[in-house]
Structures are given as C-alpha cells and as structure tokens.
mmCIF file of all heavy atoms in Angstrom:
data_model
loop_
_atom_site.group_PDB
_atom_site.id
_atom_site.type_symbol
_atom_site.label_atom_id
_atom_site.label_comp_id
_atom_site.label_asym_id
_atom_site.label_seq_id
_atom_site.Cartn_x
_atom_site.Cartn_y
_atom_site.Cartn_z
ATOM 1 N N ARG A 44 0.841 -1.195 0.000
ATOM 2 C CA ARG A 44 0.000 0.000 0.000
ATOM 3 C C ARG A 44 0.882 1.253 0.000
ATOM 4 O O ARG A 44 1.970 1.252 0.572
ATOM 5 C CB ARG A 44 -0.910 -0.002 1.230
ATOM 6 C CG ARG A 44 -1.824 1.212 1.318
ATOM 7 C CD ARG A 44 -2.654 1.201 2.582
ATOM 8 N NE ARG A 44 -3.424 2.435 2.712
ATOM 9 C CZ ARG A 44 -4.159 2.751 3.768
ATOM 10 N NH1 ARG A 44 -4.218 1.916 4.802
ATOM 11 N NH2 ARG A 44 -4.832 3.883 3.801
ATOM 12 N N ARG A 45 0.388 2.304 -0.631
ATOM 13 C CA ARG A 45 1.133 3.552 -0.711
ATOM 14 C C ARG A 45 0.280 4.718 -0.196
ATOM 15 O O ARG A 45 -0.936 4.736 -0.362
ATOM 16 C CB ARG A 45 1.552 3.866 -2.145
ATOM 17 C CG ARG A 45 2.493 2.848 -2.788
ATOM 18 C CD ARG A 45 2.713 3.213 -4.254
ATOM 19 N NE ARG A 45 3.520 2.229 -4.974
ATOM 20 C CZ ARG A 45 4.796 2.392 -5.298
ATOM 21 N NH1 ARG A 45 5.417 3.510 -4.951
ATOM 22 N NH2 ARG A 45 5.448 1.461 -5.965
ATOM 23 N N ILE A 46 0.970 5.694 0.422
ATOM 24 C CA ILE A 46 0.378 6.996 0.746
ATOM 25 C C ILE A 46 1.319 8.050 0.189
ATOM 26 O O ILE A 46 2.539 7.970 0.377
ATOM 27 C CB ILE A 46 0.187 7.190 2.265
ATOM 28 C CG1 ILE A 46 -0.895 6.254 2.799
ATOM 29 C CG2 ILE A 46 -0.181 8.636 2.576
ATOM 30 C CD1 ILE A 46 -1.119 6.382 4.303
ATOM 31 N N THR A 47 0.762 9.047 -0.491
ATOM 32 C CA THR A 47 1.581 10.097 -1.092
ATOM 33 C C THR A 47 1.662 11.300 -0.169
ATOM 34 O O THR A 47 0.634 11.812 0.289
ATOM 35 C CB THR A 47 0.998 10.530 -2.445
ATOM 36 O OG1 THR A 47 0.959 9.394 -3.323
ATOM 37 C CG2 THR A 47 1.844 11.628 -3.075
ATOM 38 N N LEU A 48 2.885 11.734 0.123
ATOM 39 C CA LEU A 48 3.102 12.951 0.898
ATOM 40 C C LEU A 48 2.843 14.158 0.006
ATOM 41 O O LEU A 48 3.498 14.342 -1.019
ATOM 42 C CB LEU A 48 4.545 13.008 1.424
ATOM 43 C CG LEU A 48 4.897 12.135 2.621
ATOM 44 C CD1 LEU A 48 6.394 12.204 2.903
ATOM 45 C CD2 LEU A 48 4.115 12.563 3.848
ATOM 46 N N LYS A 49 1.886 14.994 0.404
ATOM 47 C CA LYS A 49 1.560 16.181 -0.361
ATOM 48 C C LYS A 49 0.854 17.175 0.544
ATOM 49 O O LYS A 49 0.373 16.829 1.628
ATOM 50 C CB LYS A 49 0.677 15.848 -1.559
ATOM 51 C CG LYS A 49 -0.647 15.190 -1.176
ATOM 52 C CD LYS A 49 -1.465 14.815 -2.395
ATOM 53 C CE LYS A 49 -2.780 14.142 -1.978
ATOM 54 N NZ LYS A 49 -3.590 13.756 -3.154
ATOM 55 N N ALA A 50 0.798 18.421 0.122
ATOM 56 C CA ALA A 50 0.085 19.439 0.884
ATOM 57 C C ALA A 50 -1.429 19.244 0.713
ATOM 58 O O ALA A 50 -1.887 18.832 -0.365
ATOM 59 C CB ALA A 50 0.502 20.831 0.417
ATOM 60 N N PRO A 51 -2.221 19.489 1.768
ATOM 61 C CA PRO A 51 -1.784 19.904 3.107
ATOM 62 C C PRO A 51 -1.246 18.729 3.908
ATOM 63 O O PRO A 51 -1.877 17.664 3.971
ATOM 64 C CB PRO A 51 -3.061 20.468 3.738
ATOM 65 C CG PRO A 51 -4.176 19.743 3.049
ATOM 66 C CD PRO A 51 -3.702 19.476 1.650
ATOM 67 N N LEU A 52 -0.075 18.906 4.490
ATOM 68 C CA LEU A 52 0.601 17.816 5.180
ATOM 69 C C LEU A 52 -0.185 17.313 6.376
ATOM 70 O O LEU A 52 -0.129 16.120 6.709
ATOM 71 C CB LEU A 52 1.986 18.289 5.623
ATOM 72 C CG LEU A 52 2.950 17.209 6.116
ATOM 73 C CD1 LEU A 52 3.168 16.149 5.060
ATOM 74 C CD2 LEU A 52 4.280 17.835 6.526
ATOM 75 N N ALA A 53 -0.942 18.190 7.036
ATOM 76 C CA ALA A 53 -1.699 17.772 8.215
ATOM 77 C C ALA A 53 -2.683 16.664 7.878
ATOM 78 O O ALA A 53 -2.896 15.729 8.673
ATOM 79 C CB ALA A 53 -2.439 18.975 8.810
ATOM 80 N N GLN A 54 -3.275 16.728 6.703
ATOM 81 C CA GLN A 54 -4.228 15.704 6.293
ATOM 82 C C GLN A 54 -3.544 14.355 6.121
ATOM 83 O O GLN A 54 -4.076 13.309 6.523
ATOM 84 C CB GLN A 54 -4.900 16.132 4.981
ATOM 85 C CG GLN A 54 -5.970 15.190 4.480
ATOM 86 C CD GLN A 54 -6.660 15.736 3.236
ATOM 87 O OE1 GLN A 54 -6.741 16.941 3.042
ATOM 88 N NE2 GLN A 54 -7.142 14.839 2.392
ATOM 89 N N VAL A 55 -2.354 14.345 5.530
ATOM 90 C CA VAL A 55 -1.590 13.108 5.359
ATOM 91 C C VAL A 55 -1.178 12.550 6.716
ATOM 92 O O VAL A 55 -1.233 11.333 6.952
ATOM 93 C CB VAL A 55 -0.352 13.360 4.478
ATOM 94 C CG1 VAL A 55 0.473 12.090 4.320
ATOM 95 C CG2 VAL A 55 -0.771 13.901 3.119
ATOM 96 N N MET A 56 -0.764 13.443 7.630
ATOM 97 C CA MET A 56 -0.362 13.005 8.968
ATOM 98 C C MET A 56 -1.536 12.366 9.704
ATOM 99 O O MET A 56 -1.382 11.359 10.406
ATOM 100 C CB MET A 56 0.187 14.195 9.743
ATOM 101 C CG MET A 56 1.435 14.813 9.157
ATOM 102 S SD MET A 56 2.921 13.875 9.482
ATOM 103 C CE MET A 56 3.267 14.403 11.153
ATOM 104 N N ASP A 57 -2.715 12.936 9.549
ATOM 105 C CA ASP A 57 -3.905 12.351 10.187
ATOM 106 C C ASP A 57 -4.156 10.939 9.665
ATOM 107 O O ASP A 57 -4.443 10.015 10.445
ATOM 108 C CB ASP A 57 -5.135 13.222 9.911
ATOM 109 C CG ASP A 57 -5.097 14.555 10.649
ATOM 110 O OD1 ASP A 57 -4.323 14.661 11.622
ATOM 111 O OD2 ASP A 57 -5.822 15.482 10.245
ATOM 112 N N GLU A 58 -4.066 10.773 8.357
ATOM 113 C CA GLU A 58 -4.296 9.466 7.755
ATOM 114 C C GLU A 58 -3.261 8.456 8.214
ATOM 115 O O GLU A 58 -3.600 7.306 8.571
ATOM 116 C CB GLU A 58 -4.274 9.582 6.226
ATOM 117 C CG GLU A 58 -4.531 8.266 5.509
ATOM 118 C CD GLU A 58 -4.459 8.407 3.993
ATOM 119 O OE1 GLU A 58 -4.191 9.534 3.511
ATOM 120 O OE2 GLU A 58 -4.661 7.389 3.301
ATOM 121 N N LEU A 59 -1.994 8.875 8.228
ATOM 122 C CA LEU A 59 -0.927 7.965 8.643
ATOM 123 C C LEU A 59 -1.084 7.570 10.104
ATOM 124 O O LEU A 59 -0.942 6.395 10.458
ATOM 125 C CB LEU A 59 0.431 8.631 8.413
ATOM 126 C CG LEU A 59 1.671 7.835 8.830
ATOM 127 C CD1 LEU A 59 1.717 6.485 8.123
ATOM 128 C CD2 LEU A 59 2.929 8.635 8.547
ATOM 129 N N GLU A 60 -1.390 8.534 10.962
ATOM 130 C CA GLU A 60 -1.570 8.216 12.384
ATOM 131 C C GLU A 60 -2.717 7.238 12.587
ATOM 132 O O GLU A 60 -2.614 6.297 13.387
ATOM 133 C CB GLU A 60 -1.825 9.498 13.170
ATOM 134 C CG GLU A 60 -1.998 9.271 14.666
ATOM 135 C CD GLU A 60 -2.240 10.557 15.424
ATOM 136 O OE1 GLU A 60 -2.649 11.557 14.810
ATOM 137 O OE2 GLU A 60 -2.024 10.556 16.661
ATOM 138 N N GLN A 61 -3.819 7.431 11.858
ATOM 139 C CA GLN A 61 -4.963 6.539 11.996
ATOM 140 C C GLN A 61 -4.599 5.123 11.586
ATOM 141 O O GLN A 61 -4.954 4.139 12.260
ATOM 142 C CB GLN A 61 -6.121 7.047 11.135
ATOM 143 C CG GLN A 61 -7.461 6.389 11.415
ATOM 144 C CD GLN A 61 -7.998 6.728 12.787
ATOM 145 O OE1 GLN A 61 -7.888 7.865 13.230
ATOM 146 N NE2 GLN A 61 -8.546 5.747 13.476
ATOM 147 N N VAL A 62 -3.863 4.976 10.483
ATOM 148 C CA VAL A 62 -3.467 3.658 9.997
ATOM 149 C C VAL A 62 -2.545 2.965 10.990
ATOM 150 O O VAL A 62 -2.709 1.775 11.311
ATOM 151 C CB VAL A 62 -2.792 3.778 8.623
ATOM 152 C CG1 VAL A 62 -2.157 2.449 8.220
ATOM 153 C CG2 VAL A 62 -3.789 4.224 7.565
ATOM 154 N N VAL A 63 -1.562 3.706 11.502
ATOM 155 C CA VAL A 63 -0.589 3.119 12.422
ATOM 156 C C VAL A 63 -1.256 2.686 13.720
ATOM 157 O O VAL A 63 -1.010 1.589 14.242
ATOM 158 C CB VAL A 63 0.554 4.117 12.700
ATOM 159 C CG1 VAL A 63 1.450 3.617 13.826
ATOM 160 C CG2 VAL A 63 1.371 4.344 11.435
ATOM 161 N N VAL A 64 -2.116 3.531 14.271
ATOM 162 C CA VAL A 64 -2.762 3.234 15.548
ATOM 163 C C VAL A 64 -3.757 2.088 15.413
ATOM 164 O O VAL A 64 -3.823 1.190 16.259
ATOM 165 C CB VAL A 64 -3.452 4.495 16.105
ATOM 166 C CG1 VAL A 64 -4.296 4.158 17.325
ATOM 167 C CG2 VAL A 64 -2.416 5.546 16.464
ATOM 168 N N ASP A 65 -4.525 2.075 14.316
ATOM 169 C CA ASP A 65 -5.588 1.073 14.173
ATOM 170 C C ASP A 65 -5.078 -0.281 13.712
ATOM 171 O O ASP A 65 -5.564 -1.326 14.168
ATOM 172 C CB ASP A 65 -6.644 1.576 13.176
ATOM 173 C CG ASP A 65 -7.445 2.743 13.713
ATOM 174 O OD1 ASP A 65 -7.325 3.014 14.931
ATOM 175 O OD2 ASP A 65 -8.179 3.374 12.940
ATOM 176 N N HIS A 66 -4.103 -0.268 12.790
ATOM 177 C CA HIS A 66 -3.705 -1.525 12.150
ATOM 178 C C HIS A 66 -2.271 -1.935 12.439
ATOM 179 O O HIS A 66 -1.932 -3.106 12.305
ATOM 180 C CB HIS A 66 -3.914 -1.425 10.632
ATOM 181 C CG HIS A 66 -5.309 -1.025 10.251
ATOM 182 N ND1 HIS A 66 -6.400 -1.850 10.431
ATOM 183 C CD2 HIS A 66 -5.785 0.126 9.714
ATOM 184 C CE1 HIS A 66 -7.504 -1.230 10.012
ATOM 185 N NE2 HIS A 66 -7.151 -0.027 9.570
ATOM 186 N N GLY A 67 -1.427 -0.993 12.783
ATOM 187 C CA GLY A 67 -0.045 -1.311 13.132
ATOM 188 C C GLY A 67 0.752 -1.979 12.042
ATOM 189 O O GLY A 67 1.477 -2.951 12.308
ATOM 190 N N PRO A 68 0.678 -1.528 10.771
ATOM 191 C CA PRO A 68 1.488 -2.153 9.730
ATOM 192 C C PRO A 68 2.948 -1.739 9.854
ATOM 193 O O PRO A 68 3.295 -0.809 10.571
ATOM 194 C CB PRO A 68 0.868 -1.597 8.444
ATOM 195 C CG PRO A 68 0.385 -0.240 8.846
ATOM 196 C CD PRO A 68 -0.094 -0.386 10.258
ATOM 197 N N ARG A 69 3.803 -2.453 9.119
ATOM 198 C CA ARG A 69 5.192 -2.040 9.030
ATOM 199 C C ARG A 69 5.260 -0.895 8.012
ATOM 200 O O ARG A 69 4.916 -1.063 6.850
ATOM 201 C CB ARG A 69 6.071 -3.212 8.604
ATOM 202 C CG ARG A 69 6.129 -4.332 9.637
ATOM 203 C CD ARG A 69 7.104 -5.427 9.220
ATOM 204 N NE ARG A 69 6.626 -6.170 8.059
ATOM 205 C CZ ARG A 69 5.835 -7.242 8.127
ATOM 206 N NH1 ARG A 69 5.423 -7.677 9.308
ATOM 207 N NH2 ARG A 69 5.437 -7.854 7.030
#
C-alpha cells in the first residue's frame, strides 16, 4: 500500500496516524 506525501501535510499526517494506531502495519 502507498500513501503520497503532499500538501496539506496535516491531512496526510492524520491518515498515517490513523493507519498506524488502528492496524499497526510495518
């Protein structure tokens, strides 16, 4: 799976935090 870093960065950070906390992928 891929996530693209782009503006607004806060939105990407929210998505990444949700994925890490909920699913804990590498």
Side-chain angles (χ1 to χ4, degrees):
R44 180 183 174 186
R45 298 174 185 256
I46 291 179
T47 300
L48 283 174
K49 59 183 179 181
L52 192 57
Q54 183 176 332
V55 179
M56 297 283 280
D57 290 342
E58 181 182 1
L59 178 57
E60 181 180 20
Q61 193 67 40
V62 170
V63 171
V64 172
D65 291 349
H66 306 291
R69 294 185 291 272

